[in-house]
Amino acid sequence: MSDLLRVTGLVKHFDARRGVFGRMLGNPGILVQAVNGVDLNIGAGKTLGLIGESGCGKSTLGRALLRLHEPTSGEISFDGTDITTLDATALKAMRQRMQIIFQDPYASLNPRRTVGEIVAKPLQIHKLASGSELKDRVVSILNRVGLNSSHLNRYPHQFSGGQRQRIGIARALIMNPKFVVCDEPVSALDVSIQAQIIELLDDLKQELGLTYLFISHDISVIGYVSDRIAVMYMGKIVEEGETSEVLENPMHPYTKALLSSVPHLEKSTTRRDRIRLKGDLPSPINPPKGCKFHTRCPLAIDICRQKEPALELLNGTQSAACHLTSADGPKGGV
Ligand SMILES: Nc1ncnc2c1ncn2[C@@H]1O[C@H](COP(=O)(O)OP(=O)(O)OP(=O)(O)O)[C@@H](O)[C@H]1O
Ligand SMILES: [Mg+2]
């Protein structure tokens, strides 16, 4: 199957001097290196799960793919079109096909608008429907996500967390997109509700032929929803592969550490393979030289402190960025 999305060398640095405190700092060189050269592809109709610790750049990457954050550099090809060079008009048209579902369904819904107004808005902005057609389309998508026409005139605060996320999904899907970034869509929900929303997203994917980038810091959720998994550390993809490969045969020490932190997955790894993650993520303003994981990696050797390893295809479908697994590495591919 062909790729719907191809990302090459994507970089997003934020100017940390922005905002009141940043300007007071007045330091000319402060850049937050949130996304630091990401290459990834997502096949049409597939789900790529993106996992990594808080602050590693998952949301920034997801938003940059839709140009909700303007990339600093790199290329994003969507359905064969390089969207990084599109002007505002062309980008607006392209956005109909690329949508996002946010983590916090309450904060992302305007509290002063009714559900009907919130879900109808994208169609109105793009002037795609009005009058009774607009209402029919809104009711139809509400029905599809498990809500109904009696909800049209209610406000977000009148709904439970799970229902609010259904509203967020309806708003994203009313444009008939091809690609949806699901940014931690269930992290704010109770576990029982999480399962319902994950099932809904899965059904919608099959039914509407959607392609997802599914962001989560929960490896159980990622393992369940994803065809492939990408593991992110300090703005870079450090491992990528089929879901079963990454979960059953992780290559990168960071992936092993993530898996070792989940009790029921830990049982499936041998004691020798377990890696405990120590310390916090280093600052993205001043990332470590060489491999960015070397400061926390129990296996780090000299070269890891000096040279950043490239993401390298290791067995046909699985890639890792680690000197210890590299074919050119010190162990000649372990
Ligand atoms: N608008 C911004 N301006 C400056 N720095 C930012 C901005 N947005 C994000 N960052 C920084 O970029 C880094 C990556 O943030 P991001 O929100 O992408 O991480 P994340 O992986 O989504 O984390 P989480 O799991 O907590 O959602 C963080 O250090 C964050 O503070
Ligand atoms: Mg995030």
Side-chain angles (χ1 to χ4, degrees), residues 32-64:
V32 182
Q33 301 179 26
V35 174
N36 240 333
V38 162
D39 298 327
L40 55 84
N41 302 327
I42 310 181
K46 299 290 182 191
T47 297
L48 177 70
L50 182 64
I51 185 138
E53 282 165 283
S54 182
C56 72
K58 304 180 298 297
S59 296
T60 305
L61 172 60
R63 286 165 190 235

mmCIF file of all heavy atoms in Angstrom, residues 32-64:
data_model
loop_
_atom_site.group_PDB
_atom_site.id
_atom_site.type_symbol
_atom_site.label_atom_id
_atom_site.label_comp_id
_atom_site.label_asym_id
_atom_site.label_seq_id
_atom_site.Cartn_x
_atom_site.Cartn_y
_atom_site.Cartn_z
ATOM 1 N N VAL A 32 14.058 26.273 21.650
ATOM 2 C CA VAL A 32 13.576 24.980 22.141
ATOM 3 C C VAL A 32 13.543 24.039 20.940
ATOM 4 O O VAL A 32 12.770 24.229 20.005
ATOM 5 C CB VAL A 32 12.164 25.109 22.745
ATOM 6 C CG1 VAL A 32 11.709 23.753 23.290
ATOM 7 C CG2 VAL A 32 12.132 26.157 23.837
ATOM 8 N N GLN A 33 14.406 23.024 20.987
ATOM 9 C CA GLN A 33 14.517 22.118 19.834
ATOM 10 C C GLN A 33 13.498 20.991 19.996
ATOM 11 O O GLN A 33 13.839 19.865 20.351
ATOM 12 C CB GLN A 33 15.950 21.583 19.747
ATOM 13 C CG GLN A 33 16.962 22.723 19.610
ATOM 14 C CD GLN A 33 18.394 22.224 19.542
ATOM 15 O OE1 GLN A 33 18.663 21.100 19.131
ATOM 16 N NE2 GLN A 33 19.327 23.067 19.942
ATOM 17 N N ALA A 34 12.228 21.326 19.748
ATOM 18 C CA ALA A 34 11.132 20.388 20.047
ATOM 19 C C ALA A 34 11.108 19.208 19.083
ATOM 20 O O ALA A 34 10.908 18.071 19.484
ATOM 21 C CB ALA A 34 9.805 21.126 20.022
ATOM 22 N N VAL A 35 11.282 19.484 17.789
ATOM 23 C CA VAL A 35 11.351 18.421 16.776
ATOM 24 C C VAL A 35 12.648 18.635 16.011
ATOM 25 O O VAL A 35 12.924 19.737 15.548
ATOM 26 C CB VAL A 35 10.124 18.453 15.829
ATOM 27 C CG1 VAL A 35 10.281 17.452 14.697
ATOM 28 C CG2 VAL A 35 8.847 18.153 16.606
ATOM 29 N N ASN A 36 13.439 17.578 15.891
ATOM 30 C CA ASN A 36 14.841 17.779 15.544
ATOM 31 C C ASN A 36 15.335 16.971 14.359
ATOM 32 O O ASN A 36 16.441 16.455 14.385
ATOM 33 C CB ASN A 36 15.678 17.392 16.770
ATOM 34 C CG ASN A 36 16.479 18.570 17.247
ATOM 35 O OD1 ASN A 36 16.797 19.443 16.436
ATOM 36 N ND2 ASN A 36 16.796 18.586 18.514
ATOM 37 N N GLY A 37 14.493 16.831 13.325
ATOM 38 C CA GLY A 37 14.920 16.066 12.157
ATOM 39 C C GLY A 37 14.206 14.727 12.129
ATOM 40 O O GLY A 37 14.816 13.682 12.360
ATOM 41 N N VAL A 38 12.908 14.771 11.856
ATOM 42 C CA VAL A 38 12.096 13.545 11.859
ATOM 43 C C VAL A 38 11.816 13.083 10.434
ATOM 44 O O VAL A 38 11.411 13.875 9.586
ATOM 45 C CB VAL A 38 10.760 13.784 12.620
ATOM 46 C CG1 VAL A 38 9.728 12.725 12.266
ATOM 47 C CG2 VAL A 38 10.999 13.801 14.127
ATOM 48 N N ASP A 39 12.071 11.807 10.200
ATOM 49 C CA ASP A 39 11.679 11.158 8.945
ATOM 50 C C ASP A 39 10.639 10.107 9.305
ATOM 51 O O ASP A 39 10.901 9.276 10.178
ATOM 52 C CB ASP A 39 12.862 10.412 8.301
ATOM 53 C CG ASP A 39 13.998 11.342 7.935
ATOM 54 O OD1 ASP A 39 13.718 12.496 7.574
ATOM 55 O OD2 ASP A 39 15.156 10.911 8.024
ATOM 56 N N LEU A 40 9.479 10.157 8.660
ATOM 57 C CA LEU A 40 8.538 9.048 8.845
ATOM 58 C C LEU A 40 7.536 8.988 7.697
ATOM 59 O O LEU A 40 7.289 9.993 7.028
ATOM 60 C CB LEU A 40 7.829 9.091 10.204
ATOM 61 C CG LEU A 40 7.043 10.302 10.678
ATOM 62 C CD1 LEU A 40 5.625 10.278 10.127
ATOM 63 C CD2 LEU A 40 6.959 10.239 12.207
ATOM 64 N N ASN A 41 7.004 7.799 7.489
ATOM 65 C CA ASN A 41 5.994 7.577 6.451
ATOM 66 C C ASN A 41 4.795 6.897 7.098
ATOM 67 O O ASN A 41 4.964 6.085 7.999
ATOM 68 C CB ASN A 41 6.528 6.647 5.355
ATOM 69 C CG ASN A 41 7.785 7.205 4.711
ATOM 70 O OD1 ASN A 41 7.943 8.416 4.589
ATOM 71 N ND2 ASN A 41 8.679 6.309 4.327
ATOM 72 N N ILE A 42 3.605 7.238 6.596
ATOM 73 C CA ILE A 42 2.408 6.535 7.074
ATOM 74 C C ILE A 42 1.638 6.029 5.857
ATOM 75 O O ILE A 42 1.252 6.821 4.978
ATOM 76 C CB ILE A 42 1.504 7.440 7.944
ATOM 77 C CG1 ILE A 42 2.308 8.138 9.048
ATOM 78 C CG2 ILE A 42 0.379 6.600 8.566
ATOM 79 C CD1 ILE A 42 1.496 9.042 9.964
ATOM 80 N N GLY A 43 1.438 4.721 5.790
ATOM 81 C CA GLY A 43 0.717 4.112 4.677
ATOM 82 C C GLY A 43 -0.757 4.479 4.713
ATOM 83 O O GLY A 43 -1.342 4.634 5.792
ATOM 84 N N ALA A 44 -1.366 4.616 3.528
ATOM 85 C CA ALA A 44 -2.791 4.945 3.455
ATOM 86 C C ALA A 44 -3.599 3.887 4.185
ATOM 87 O O ALA A 44 -3.376 2.683 4.014
ATOM 88 C CB ALA A 44 -3.208 5.032 1.989
ATOM 89 N N GLY A 45 -4.519 4.332 5.032
ATOM 90 C CA GLY A 45 -5.386 3.412 5.772
ATOM 91 C C GLY A 45 -4.740 2.794 6.999
ATOM 92 O O GLY A 45 -5.321 1.938 7.645
ATOM 93 N N LYS A 46 -3.527 3.234 7.326
ATOM 94 C CA LYS A 46 -2.795 2.658 8.469
ATOM 95 C C LYS A 46 -2.796 3.608 9.668
ATOM 96 O O LYS A 46 -3.046 4.807 9.532
ATOM 97 C CB LYS A 46 -1.343 2.374 8.081
ATOM 98 C CG LYS A 46 -1.194 1.378 6.950
ATOM 99 C CD LYS A 46 -1.588 -0.006 7.403
ATOM 100 C CE LYS A 46 -1.409 -1.020 6.290
ATOM 101 N NZ LYS A 46 -2.023 -2.297 6.606
ATOM 102 N N THR A 47 -2.472 3.046 10.825
ATOM 103 C CA THR A 47 -2.278 3.851 12.033
ATOM 104 C C THR A 47 -0.826 3.748 12.462
ATOM 105 O O THR A 47 -0.330 2.639 12.703
ATOM 106 C CB THR A 47 -3.174 3.359 13.191
ATOM 107 O OG1 THR A 47 -4.539 3.515 12.804
ATOM 108 C CG2 THR A 47 -2.922 4.152 14.459
ATOM 109 N N LEU A 48 -0.160 4.899 12.523
ATOM 110 C CA LEU A 48 1.186 4.929 13.098
ATOM 111 C C LEU A 48 1.045 5.430 14.527
ATOM 112 O O LEU A 48 0.529 6.530 14.757
ATOM 113 C CB LEU A 48 2.113 5.858 12.313
ATOM 114 C CG LEU A 48 3.521 5.988 12.921
ATOM 115 C CD1 LEU A 48 4.315 4.689 12.751
ATOM 116 C CD2 LEU A 48 4.293 7.154 12.310
ATOM 117 N N GLY A 49 1.453 4.627 15.487
ATOM 118 C CA GLY A 49 1.417 5.045 16.883
ATOM 119 C C GLY A 49 2.712 5.766 17.221
ATOM 120 O O GLY A 49 3.794 5.268 16.924
ATOM 121 N N LEU A 50 2.585 6.929 17.843
ATOM 122 C CA LEU A 50 3.773 7.709 18.221
ATOM 123 C C LEU A 50 3.840 7.753 19.736
ATOM 124 O O LEU A 50 2.913 8.235 20.395
ATOM 125 C CB LEU A 50 3.662 9.128 17.648
ATOM 126 C CG LEU A 50 4.830 10.069 17.909
ATOM 127 C CD1 LEU A 50 6.108 9.563 17.228
ATOM 128 C CD2 LEU A 50 4.503 11.478 17.407
ATOM 129 N N ILE A 51 4.939 7.226 20.268
ATOM 130 C CA ILE A 51 5.063 7.123 21.725
ATOM 131 C C ILE A 51 6.345 7.776 22.195
ATOM 132 O O ILE A 51 7.334 7.821 21.464
ATOM 133 C CB ILE A 51 4.984 5.638 22.172
ATOM 134 C CG1 ILE A 51 4.982 5.520 23.687
ATOM 135 C CG2 ILE A 51 6.128 4.800 21.608
ATOM 136 C CD1 ILE A 51 4.041 4.524 24.226
ATOM 137 N N GLY A 52 6.325 8.268 23.420
ATOM 138 C CA GLY A 52 7.518 8.881 24.007
ATOM 139 C C GLY A 52 7.101 9.648 25.260
ATOM 140 O O GLY A 52 5.919 9.943 25.447
ATOM 141 N N GLU A 53 8.090 9.970 26.085
ATOM 142 C CA GLU A 53 7.783 10.661 27.335
ATOM 143 C C GLU A 53 7.239 12.056 27.124
ATOM 144 O O GLU A 53 7.460 12.664 26.078
ATOM 145 C CB GLU A 53 9.082 10.827 28.145
ATOM 146 C CG GLU A 53 9.549 9.613 28.877
ATOM 147 C CD GLU A 53 10.981 9.812 29.309
ATOM 148 O OE1 GLU A 53 11.873 9.696 28.457
ATOM 149 O OE2 GLU A 53 11.206 10.106 30.485
ATOM 150 N N SER A 54 6.624 12.582 28.175
ATOM 151 C CA SER A 54 6.106 13.946 28.145
ATOM 152 C C SER A 54 7.231 14.926 27.789
ATOM 153 O O SER A 54 8.309 14.857 28.379
ATOM 154 C CB SER A 54 5.540 14.291 29.522
ATOM 155 O OG SER A 54 5.006 15.567 29.491
ATOM 156 N N GLY A 55 6.994 15.781 26.811
ATOM 157 C CA GLY A 55 7.964 16.800 26.434
ATOM 158 C C GLY A 55 8.918 16.371 25.336
ATOM 159 O O GLY A 55 9.801 17.131 24.935
ATOM 160 N N CYS A 56 8.754 15.154 24.793
ATOM 161 C CA CYS A 56 9.708 14.679 23.775
ATOM 162 C C CYS A 56 9.387 15.245 22.385
ATOM 163 O O CYS A 56 10.183 15.074 21.461
ATOM 164 C CB CYS A 56 9.774 13.162 23.729
ATOM 165 S SG CYS A 56 8.317 12.389 23.017
ATOM 166 N N GLY A 57 8.233 15.906 22.232
ATOM 167 C CA GLY A 57 7.941 16.579 20.958
ATOM 168 C C GLY A 57 6.802 15.974 20.153
ATOM 169 O O GLY A 57 6.591 16.336 18.996
ATOM 170 N N LYS A 58 6.013 15.074 20.763
ATOM 171 C CA LYS A 58 4.957 14.382 20.026
ATOM 172 C C LYS A 58 3.904 15.355 19.484
ATOM 173 O O LYS A 58 3.565 15.316 18.297
ATOM 174 C CB LYS A 58 4.269 13.334 20.924
ATOM 175 C CG LYS A 58 5.208 12.305 21.523
ATOM 176 C CD LYS A 58 4.487 11.302 22.395
ATOM 177 C CE LYS A 58 3.795 11.873 23.617
ATOM 178 N NZ LYS A 58 4.678 12.501 24.617
ATOM 179 N N SER A 59 3.385 16.216 20.360
ATOM 180 C CA SER A 59 2.332 17.145 19.909
ATOM 181 C C SER A 59 2.883 18.142 18.902
ATOM 182 O O SER A 59 2.204 18.483 17.927
ATOM 183 C CB SER A 59 1.757 17.929 21.096
ATOM 184 O OG SER A 59 1.127 17.057 21.976
ATOM 185 N N THR A 60 4.107 18.600 19.136
ATOM 186 C CA THR A 60 4.702 19.560 18.198
ATOM 187 C C THR A 60 4.812 18.920 16.819
ATOM 188 O O THR A 60 4.476 19.546 15.805
ATOM 189 C CB THR A 60 6.100 19.996 18.694
ATOM 190 O OG1 THR A 60 5.964 20.497 20.024
ATOM 191 C CG2 THR A 60 6.688 21.069 17.803
ATOM 192 N N LEU A 61 5.243 17.656 16.777
ATOM 193 C CA LEU A 61 5.340 16.958 15.493
ATOM 194 C C LEU A 61 3.950 16.834 14.858
ATOM 195 O O LEU A 61 3.771 17.156 13.678
ATOM 196 C CB LEU A 61 5.961 15.568 15.706
ATOM 197 C CG LEU A 61 5.961 14.628 14.513
ATOM 198 C CD1 LEU A 61 6.733 15.230 13.332
ATOM 199 C CD2 LEU A 61 6.561 13.268 14.877
ATOM 200 N N GLY A 62 2.965 16.388 15.649
ATOM 201 C CA GLY A 62 1.606 16.210 15.116
ATOM 202 C C GLY A 62 1.055 17.503 14.538
ATOM 203 O O GLY A 62 0.469 17.524 13.454
ATOM 204 N N ARG A 63 1.274 18.590 15.239
ATOM 205 C CA ARG A 63 0.756 19.881 14.768
ATOM 206 C C ARG A 63 1.533 20.392 13.566
ATOM 207 O O ARG A 63 0.960 21.013 12.664
ATOM 208 C CB ARG A 63 0.808 20.908 15.896
ATOM 209 C CG ARG A 63 -0.267 20.656 16.917
ATOM 210 C CD ARG A 63 -0.027 21.406 18.197
ATOM 211 N NE ARG A 63 -0.962 20.947 19.205
ATOM 212 C CZ ARG A 63 -1.779 21.746 19.878
ATOM 213 N NH1 ARG A 63 -1.757 23.039 19.676
ATOM 214 N NH2 ARG A 63 -2.601 21.248 20.770
ATOM 215 N N ALA A 64 2.843 20.143 13.577
ATOM 216 C CA ALA A 64 3.654 20.597 12.437
ATOM 217 C C ALA A 64 3.234 19.876 11.158
ATOM 218 O O ALA A 64 3.288 20.447 10.067
ATOM 219 C CB ALA A 64 5.137 20.379 12.728
#
